[in-house]
Amino acid sequence: MRKKSNNRVLIDDEKLEVSSEILRALAHPLRMKILSFIDKHGSVNVNKIYNTLQLEQSITSQHLRILRLANLVDTKRRGKYVVYEIAYDKLGDTIDSVRTFIEEFNA
């Protein structure tokens, strides 16, 4: 999305769709809790996430899938385990964009 000189907004549907998926992924309190847990531990497998946070495995996997589709977490295989890590570049870009939007909105 960008502004034209006459204050009309040009909407890029593809970018809007991607942005809404990222924001939707971040809008859920349990996903934020999972992201915080991953951040605290660096890289962690799904078993550790659901056991430590006392969640059902299926619920944890569903939320991790949403975070993965939004590219907010990366996965790596370590032996028989898949470990999750935060995609800090993507998350940082998202936070910066939201911060910029809020600053411009309040100006």
Side-chain angles (χ1 to χ4, degrees), residues 4 41 99:
K4 286 181 71 176
H41 292 87
R99 184 177 294 128

Side-chain angles (χ1 to χ4, degrees), residues 12-81:
D12 181 329
D13 289 338
E14 186 176 327
K15 287 181 180 178
L16 188 60
E17 181 66 28
V18 170
S19 298
S20 67
E21 289 300 319
I22 293 168
L23 294 174
R24 205 173 301 135
L26 290 172
H28 195 282
L30 186 52
R31 287 192 283 272
M32 293 299 292
K33 189 174 183 178
I34 291 169
L35 282 172
S36 178
F37 184 79
I38 296 170
D39 179 48
K40 181 178 176 183
H41 292 87
S43 65
V44 62
N45 69 53
V46 68
N47 295 336
K48 186 171 183 176
I49 296 170
Y50 73 76
N51 285 324
T52 305
L53 298 179
Q54 298 178 339
L55 304 169
E56 290 184 32
Q57 186 272 332
S58 61
I59 299 276
T60 306
S61 293
Q62 288 173 14
H63 286 291
L64 286 168
R65 180 176 93 41
I66 292 167
L67 292 170
R68 204 172 48 247
L69 289 173
N71 295 313
L72 295 171
V73 293
D74 294 320
T75 59
K76 294 181 182 173
R77 184 162 289 283
R78 291 203 184 131
K80 65 179 183 174
Y81 296 104

